[in-house]
Amino acid sequence: MLIRIRSPDGMHRIEAGLKDTLAQLLEKLTPVMNAPSPDAIVLTRDVGGQNILAEFEQSIISLGLKHGDMLFATVAPSARPSVEPTSAQASAGGGSNKPAASGGAGSFVVQEDVDSQLEKDDGLIRRKRDTKFCKHGANAMCEYCTPTEPYDAGYLAENKIKHMSFHSYLRKILSQSKIRGDISGAVPPNIPLPLEDLDYRVKPNCLSGHAPWPEGICTKCQPSAVTLQRQPFRMVDNVEFASSAIIDRLLSFWRSTRCQRFGFLYGRYDRSPDVPLGIKAIVEAIYEPKQGWEEDGIKIDVESEDFDNEVKRADAVANACGLKVVGMIFTDLEPTNESGRVVYRRHANSYFLTSLECRLAAYMELKYPNASRWARGGHFGSKFVTCCVSGNEDGDIAVTAWQLSNSAMALQAANLIVPSSVPSKMCVLEPTKTRYVPDVFYKYTNEYNLPVTANAKPAFPVEYLLVNLTHGFPKDPNPMFHSDNPFCIENRDHLHQVQTLGLLKRHINSAQGASAMLAVVLADFHFLVYLASLDILGPNDVALIGRIVRDSANSVQLAEELLLSSGWQTLSLMLQEASDSDLNHSAAAGQAIDQHSTHGAPAANPSINNNSATSAAAASPWACRHCTFVNSPSHDSCDMCALPKD
């Protein structure tokens, strides 16, 4: 039989069997309404929602429904609150977040702590009494001093805020439903969820009666035309690096090799006081995965299993420390003939991010979506940021921060765009028998100052996909990882900086067995990732180390507890057997570069070493300069490509 369902999104037709129960009908309706779960859908017989159908185990026939009957559906509080959230919904928000308030349609969505905090804020912007226009007393208000909403156009223009914050945008949408102030409570059952991710793909399970795509398509299942324009909001407003040493250690690789570097940003999200209801990403560490050694770009295999496993190991350590992946960073530097200066190549007349970098950023944002209980699919946009280290107009090294718009994420998810040979242009793919490409347009102002709509095929400027962010450093730095003796950074075999047990032994012995010094030694993200990769310490020991790093007030007591743990004692016994010849002297030299790096001229290429450096590196594994394979110290030729060492 056919049951008609009317919802705020329109009319749906669900095919049901004669023996189907109401629960089975709800399961078929869930993907059609983009509901987070069947329990979030409420079916009623009338428009007012008074006669609710809650007999989930009864058949449709026993409820008196027949072919062609109409029911009314809304996404509302769960009809069966005893049902637990699914694993996919529980993992949507990541590490140390807490569930949203129960009782609403988004009660199973786990969102960021900062989102829950901002929902409790009324978001109003307090204004002082205007001495020129306010004619009332001190205890009264008028139109010139009444608090304004965070999305007020006049306030944003006056303070030169190009993109309003995400929560300001959310308040603007909710104001249309007369919802203002504190929104931390349950989602009202009488309104549809206001947020929904863009989707430029053909809708599956079309109920119009035609064959599924690609055999058939209709106006209901085909995506509408896409018009690219500036996104009015941004998910993250500011990127704050906890310490300048984080950037300096990344730049030390380029200063030593003239080669570019890529890394993941690990940190947390917090409130930004510079923007109403703003969010900032605080970066505590940069993890550098395995990558190529290139002077003019970055070479990484983001879809490989080894790459995913490596990032998961770093994620586990970050979660223990209360951190998560907040973005990525890469360098694009080229020295000039003038000492200490770099080429200024990214500007308004060229490009800010290349089309290839934009597609990588969109891919990462899709991989790390932002969980929101106000979204119909349980997530909306992404808080993943992209930072680029390049030269500015003065020839100095500077950082720029960006995000890709929700339209860029939708274009990437639908596989509609591909990078072009021109860095500032993104190409739109041609339609095929299995790929439906909607019409894509973008707007610009011509030489007569008139708005013009142009076809985005075959290519369009990448600026239509970008959202710029601010960045900076705190006035009083208090980084989480503040080890006095930085550990060797991972995957720098080209510089003969290899993480070994001997280097681990020397790093731990620098604490001299004191709990207070051990707490400082442990405050190094690269050291913790390598320590966890040895699989000597158990999950409880790694969690305890994370508490030592997070809780500086009780770090000494927690360090004493770690010294008495069985996992740490096992590690100590293994390190006693580690040979002193395993010490990585070249890595120590690399650490000296990290500590004393400046913005001066880059160092010489590591392939040209003096005799002392060569003899120091002879006792450690060496990386082939032709194929980068790491060979045994006793071999004079590469085991992979058979080329000589020197």
Side-chain angles (χ1 to χ4, degrees):
M1 67 172 62
L2 190 67
I3 303 296
R4 295 181 296 165
I5 307 294
R6 176 173 289 180
S7 71
D9 297 331
M11 183 70 72
H12 310 289
R13 293 173 175 84
I14 305 298
E15 294 184 1
L18 297 177
K19 297 182 180 180
D20 286 356
T21 63
L22 183 61
Q24 293 174 332
L25 179 64
L26 289 173
E27 292 179 358
K28 296 180 180 179
L29 187 58
T30 299
V32 177
M33 294 185 60
N34 290 326
S37 67
D39 309 311
I41 301 177
V42 171
L43 286 178
T44 60
R45 296 181 184 268
D46 52 3
V47 181
Q50 301 298 327
N51 193 359
I52 299 178
L53 294 175
E55 298 79 7
F56 303 104
E57 303 304 328
Q58 293 188 19
S59 64
I60 298 177
I61 297 297
S62 63
L63 294 175
L65 298 177
K66 57 183 181 297
H67 177 73
D69 282 356
M70 179 184 295
L71 299 177
F72 299 87
T74 56
V75 179
S78 175
R80 287 175 288 173
S82 60
V83 179
E84 295 296 329
T86 62
S87 59
Q89 294 163 345
S91 61
S96 61
N97 309 319
K98 59 183 181 181
S102 61
S107 58
F108 292 156
V109 177
V110 182
Q111 59 183 14
E112 296 287 343
D113 290 338
V114 65
D115 291 325
S116 301
Q117 296 172 9
L118 290 173
E119 287 182 355
K120 299 178 181 179
D121 197 334
D122 58 12
L124 295 178
I125 303 171
R126 271 69 183 179
R127 296 187 294 178
K128 296 181 179 179
R129 184 174 181 271
D130 196 317
T131 57
K132 293 183 179 180
F133 298 100
C134 294
K135 305 300 181 183
H136 51 76
N139 295 329
M141 286 186 179
C142 67
E143 59 179 328
Y144 298 105
C145 59
T146 303
T148 61
E149 297 289 347
Y151 50 83
D152 182 72
Y155 176 84
L156 297 177
E158 180 182 355
N159 292 272
K160 299 181 180 180
I161 300 177
K162 186 178 180 181
H163 303 275
M164 71 177 76
S165 64
F166 163 66
H167 279 270
S168 297
Y169 175 74
L170 177 60
R171 301 301 176 93
K172 182 178 181 179
I173 297 179
L174 291 177
S175 65
Q176 300 173 3
S177 302
K178 309 301 181 183
I179 300 178
R180 293 181 174 86
D182 187 349
I183 60 172
S184 60
V187 178
N190 58 338
I191 65 167
L193 294 177
L195 301 178
E196 184 178 11
D197 272 330
L198 299 174
D199 192 356
Y200 300 147
R201 293 168 292 190
V202 177
K203 295 180 181 179
N205 305 322
C206 183
L207 303 177
S208 297
H210 60 77
W213 171 261
E215 284 76 17
I217 194 172
C218 67
T219 56
K220 293 183 178 180
C221 60
Q222 72 178 19
S224 303
V226 180
T227 301
L228 300 176
Q229 53 188 350
R230 190 187 73 182
Q231 184 169 281
F233 65 94
R234 53 190 179 188
M235 305 299 297
V236 175
D237 302 280
N238 179 264
V239 180
E240 180 182 288
F241 294 91
S243 173
S244 59
I246 299 175
I247 299 295
D248 287 338
R249 297 197 71 186
L250 178 71
L251 291 177
S252 65
F253 184 88
W254 176 79
R255 293 192 176 106
S256 301
T257 65
R258 304 281 182 93
C259 293
Q260 311 306 325
R261 202 63 174 163
F262 171 89
F264 282 106
L265 304 176
Y266 283 90
R268 63 187 186 277
Y269 298 106
D270 201 355
R271 302 186 61 166
S272 176
D274 301 328
V275 181
L277 299 179
I279 297 176
K280 64 178 177 180
I282 302 177
V283 180
E284 295 285 355
I286 298 177
Y287 180 80
E288 303 174 9
K290 289 184 179 179
Q291 53 197 280
W293 195 28
E294 307 290 339
E295 294 186 6
D296 58 349
I298 304 295
K299 183 185 294 184
I300 51 176
D301 190 1
V302 295
E303 296 182 348
S304 66
E305 184 178 356
D306 293 339
F307 186 88
D308 287 339
N309 294 335
E310 183 181 4
V311 175
K312 287 179 181 178
R313 287 195 297 268
D315 289 345
V317 175
N319 291 335
C321 299
L323 306 177
K324 64 183 303 182
V325 175
V326 298
M328 67 180 184
I329 188 172
F330 58 90
T331 62
D332 182 21
L333 300 168
E334 181 181 351
T336 63
N337 295 330
E338 185 179 357
S339 177
R341 300 297 179 183
V342 293
V343 175
Y344 176 45
R345 60 161 59 116
R346 295 175 182 257
H347 47 78
N349 296 327
S350 60
Y351 56 87
F352 297 107
L353 289 181
T354 66
S355 56
L356 185 61
E357 295 162 356
C358 288
R359 196 181 185 196
L360 174 61
Y363 172 84
M364 290 297 179
E365 290 186 14
L366 289 170
K367 192 175 181 179
Y368 298 95
N370 171 61
S372 175
R373 68 192 188 100
W374 297 95
R376 298 181 185 179
H379 52 78
F380 181 76
S382 174
K383 289 188 175 72
F384 192 91
V385 302
T386 300
C387 296
C388 177
V389 183
S390 187
N392 59 13
E393 56 186 357
D394 297 325
D396 298 325
I397 297 177
V399 180
T400 55
W402 305 91
Q403 274 193 307
L404 272 293
S405 65
N406 289 12
S407 297
M409 296 174 60
L411 290 171
Q412 171 64 22
N415 193 24
L416 300 180
I417 54 176
V418 65
S420 69
S421 57
V422 181
S424 61
K425 297 289 185 180
M426 181 74 75
C427 289
V428 179
L429 291 173
E430 293 294 331
T432 62
K433 293 182 179 180
T434 58
R435 182 197 300 124
Y436 181 85
V437 180
D439 294 329
V440 183
F441 303 96
Y442 67 94
K443 294 183 178 181
Y444 69 96
T445 303
N446 62 8
E447 62 272 16
Y448 304 106
N449 201 25
L450 296 176
V452 178
T453 300
N455 195 338
K457 299 178 182 179
F460 62 92
V462 296
E463 285 76 13
Y464 286 88
L465 306 178
L466 298 178
V467 178
N468 62 316
L469 315 179
T470 59
H471 72 280
F473 301 90
K475 295 182 179 179
D476 300 317
N478 185 23
M480 177 181 293
F481 303 106
H482 50 81
S483 177
D484 298 332
N485 184 25
F487 192 70
C488 175
I489 298 178
E490 61 282 338
N491 299 315
R492 292 195 174 184
D493 300 344
H494 310 92
L495 297 177
H496 300 292
Q497 299 180 22
V498 183
Q499 295 176 337
T500 61
L501 285 176
L503 190 62
L504 181 71
K505 175 181 178 180
R506 183 178 63 183
H507 189 77
I508 295 178
N509 290 341
S510 64
Q512 301 177 357
S515 301
M517 297 182 65
L518 178 62
V520 177
V521 167
L522 292 175
D524 190 302
F525 186 74
H526 307 282
F527 166 75
L528 297 182
V529 174
Y530 177 66
L531 183 62
S533 67
L534 299 177
D535 294 330
I536 300 175
L537 301 179
N540 295 333
D541 298 325
V542 175
L544 180 57
I545 293 177
R547 292 172 55 194
I548 295 174
V549 176
R550 294 197 313 266
D551 191 1
S552 58
N554 301 317
S555 59
V556 177
Q557 293 83 353
L558 295 173
E560 294 176 354
E561 181 181 348
L562 177 65
L563 290 174
L564 298 177
S565 65
S566 58
W568 189 264
Q569 292 179 0
T570 302
L571 175 65
S572 300
L573 291 176
M574 293 188 63
L575 293 181
Q576 289 179 4
E577 302 297 329
S579 174
D580 292 337
S581 62
D582 198 24
L583 290 175
N584 194 336
H585 300 287
S586 185
Q591 294 175 8
I593 296 176
D594 293 341
Q595 295 177 354
H596 303 289
S597 61
T598 62
H599 294 289
N605 192 290
S607 61
I608 306 176
N609 297 311
N610 54 29
N611 295 332
S612 60
T614 304
S615 59
S620 62
W622 57 276
C624 177
R625 59 190 179 93
H626 303 283
C627 68
T628 72
F629 182 78
V630 180
N631 298 272
S632 174
S634 60
H635 294 181
D636 294 329
S637 61
C638 180
D639 294 337
M640 179 62 67
C641 63
L643 293 176
K645 178 178 180 180
D646 299 320

Short mmCIF file of all heavy atoms in Angstrom, two decimals, residues 52 74 88 98 131 155 243 301 353 361 363-364 419 482 508 523 526 529 573 577:
data_model
loop_
_atom_site.label_atom_id
_atom_site.label_comp_id
_atom_site.label_asym_id
_atom_site.label_seq_id
_atom_site.Cartn_x
_atom_site.Cartn_y
_atom_site.Cartn_z
N ILE A 52 -1.26 11.44 18.31
CA ILE A 52 0.06 10.91 17.98
C ILE A 52 -0.01 9.40 17.87
O ILE A 52 -0.61 8.72 18.70
CB ILE A 52 1.09 11.32 19.05
CG1 ILE A 52 1.21 12.85 19.13
CG2 ILE A 52 2.45 10.70 18.76
CD1 ILE A 52 2.16 13.33 20.20
N THR A 74 6.69 15.25 11.84
CA THR A 74 7.61 16.31 12.23
C THR A 74 8.81 15.68 12.91
O THR A 74 8.71 14.59 13.48
CB THR A 74 6.95 17.31 13.20
OG1 THR A 74 6.45 16.60 14.34
CG2 THR A 74 5.83 18.08 12.52
N ALA A 88 27.29 5.39 15.07
CA ALA A 88 27.66 6.41 14.08
C ALA A 88 27.33 7.79 14.59
O ALA A 88 28.10 8.74 14.42
CB ALA A 88 26.93 6.15 12.77
N LYS A 98 30.32 16.54 24.88
CA LYS A 98 29.21 16.01 25.65
C LYS A 98 27.95 16.06 24.81
O LYS A 98 27.80 16.91 23.94
CB LYS A 98 29.03 16.81 26.94
CG LYS A 98 28.76 18.29 26.71
CD LYS A 98 28.67 19.03 28.02
CE LYS A 98 28.38 20.51 27.82
NZ LYS A 98 28.32 21.24 29.07
N THR A 131 25.64 59.73 24.54
CA THR A 131 25.49 61.05 25.16
C THR A 131 24.83 62.06 24.22
O THR A 131 24.28 63.06 24.69
CB THR A 131 26.87 61.57 25.59
OG1 THR A 131 27.74 61.59 24.45
CG2 THR A 131 27.47 60.68 26.66
N TYR A 155 26.01 46.68 12.93
CA TYR A 155 27.14 46.39 13.83
C TYR A 155 28.26 45.69 13.08
O TYR A 155 29.44 46.01 13.27
CB TYR A 155 26.65 45.53 14.99
CG TYR A 155 27.75 45.10 15.93
CD1 TYR A 155 28.19 45.93 16.95
CD2 TYR A 155 28.38 43.86 15.79
CE1 TYR A 155 29.21 45.54 17.81
CE2 TYR A 155 29.39 43.46 16.63
CZ TYR A 155 29.81 44.31 17.64
OH TYR A 155 30.82 43.93 18.48
N SER A 243 51.92 28.95 20.90
CA SER A 243 53.28 29.46 21.05
C SER A 243 53.90 29.63 19.67
O SER A 243 53.59 28.87 18.75
CB SER A 243 54.13 28.51 21.91
OG SER A 243 55.49 28.91 21.93
N ASP A 301 49.85 10.94 0.49
CA ASP A 301 48.84 9.98 0.04
C ASP A 301 47.77 9.90 1.12
O ASP A 301 47.80 9.04 2.00
CB ASP A 301 49.48 8.62 -0.22
CG ASP A 301 48.52 7.65 -0.92
OD1 ASP A 301 47.38 8.07 -1.21
OD2 ASP A 301 48.93 6.50 -1.17
N LEU A 353 44.78 30.48 -2.27
CA LEU A 353 44.97 29.03 -2.23
C LEU A 353 44.81 28.51 -3.66
O LEU A 353 43.94 28.99 -4.40
CB LEU A 353 43.95 28.35 -1.32
CG LEU A 353 44.07 28.54 0.19
CD1 LEU A 353 42.98 27.75 0.91
CD2 LEU A 353 45.44 28.13 0.72
N ALA A 361 41.55 20.77 0.95
CA ALA A 361 40.88 21.32 2.13
C ALA A 361 39.43 20.89 2.20
O ALA A 361 38.91 20.55 3.27
CB ALA A 361 40.98 22.85 2.12
N TYR A 363 38.21 18.14 0.93
CA TYR A 363 38.25 16.71 1.28
C TYR A 363 38.42 16.53 2.78
O TYR A 363 37.75 15.69 3.40
CB TYR A 363 39.39 16.04 0.51
CG TYR A 363 39.67 14.61 0.92
CD1 TYR A 363 38.95 13.56 0.39
CD2 TYR A 363 40.68 14.33 1.85
CE1 TYR A 363 39.20 12.24 0.77
CE2 TYR A 363 40.94 13.03 2.24
CZ TYR A 363 40.21 11.98 1.70
OH TYR A 363 40.46 10.69 2.09
N MET A 364 39.29 17.32 3.39
CA MET A 364 39.52 17.21 4.83
C MET A 364 38.30 17.69 5.62
O MET A 364 37.96 17.12 6.66
CB MET A 364 40.76 18.02 5.22
CG MET A 364 42.07 17.42 4.74
SD MET A 364 42.35 15.80 5.50
CE MET A 364 43.92 15.36 4.73
N PRO A 419 40.88 20.20 -9.92
CA PRO A 419 41.86 21.29 -10.05
C PRO A 419 42.29 21.47 -11.50
O PRO A 419 42.31 20.53 -12.30
CB PRO A 419 43.02 20.84 -9.16
CG PRO A 419 42.44 19.84 -8.23
CD PRO A 419 41.34 19.16 -8.98
N HIS A 482 55.38 22.11 26.73
CA HIS A 482 56.41 23.12 27.05
C HIS A 482 57.70 22.45 27.51
O HIS A 482 58.37 22.96 28.40
CB HIS A 482 55.89 24.06 28.14
CG HIS A 482 55.31 23.33 29.35
ND1 HIS A 482 56.09 22.80 30.34
CD2 HIS A 482 54.03 23.02 29.65
CE1 HIS A 482 55.33 22.22 31.24
NE2 HIS A 482 54.06 22.33 30.85
N ILE A 508 64.13 10.57 28.48
CA ILE A 508 63.54 10.25 29.78
C ILE A 508 64.55 10.41 30.90
O ILE A 508 64.22 10.88 32.00
CB ILE A 508 62.95 8.82 29.74
CG1 ILE A 508 61.79 8.75 28.75
CG2 ILE A 508 62.49 8.39 31.13
CD1 ILE A 508 61.18 7.38 28.61
N ALA A 523 55.78 16.67 28.52
CA ALA A 523 55.02 17.72 27.82
C ALA A 523 55.61 17.98 26.45
O ALA A 523 56.05 19.09 26.13
CB ALA A 523 55.00 18.99 28.66
N HIS A 526 55.43 15.20 20.20
CA HIS A 526 56.16 14.27 19.33
C HIS A 526 56.72 13.11 20.15
O HIS A 526 56.74 11.96 19.68
CB HIS A 526 57.28 15.00 18.60
CG HIS A 526 56.82 16.23 17.88
ND1 HIS A 526 56.16 16.18 16.67
CD2 HIS A 526 56.90 17.55 18.20
CE1 HIS A 526 55.87 17.40 16.27
NE2 HIS A 526 56.30 18.24 17.18
N VAL A 529 53.72 10.72 20.99
CA VAL A 529 53.28 9.91 19.86
C VAL A 529 54.24 8.75 19.61
O VAL A 529 53.82 7.61 19.37
CB VAL A 529 53.13 10.78 18.60
CG1 VAL A 529 52.82 9.92 17.38
CG2 VAL A 529 52.04 11.82 18.79
N LEU A 573 62.71 -1.02 32.11
CA LEU A 573 63.55 -2.19 31.93
C LEU A 573 64.01 -2.33 30.49
O LEU A 573 65.17 -2.68 30.23
CB LEU A 573 62.79 -3.45 32.36
CG LEU A 573 62.50 -3.60 33.87
CD1 LEU A 573 61.66 -4.84 34.13
CD2 LEU A 573 63.81 -3.67 34.66
N GLU A 577 68.19 -1.80 28.52
CA GLU A 577 68.87 -2.66 27.56
C GLU A 577 69.19 -1.94 26.26
O GLU A 577 69.89 -2.48 25.40
CB GLU A 577 68.00 -3.89 27.24
CG GLU A 577 67.65 -4.72 28.47
CD GLU A 577 68.88 -5.31 29.13
OE1 GLU A 577 69.85 -5.59 28.39
OE2 GLU A 577 68.88 -5.49 30.35
#
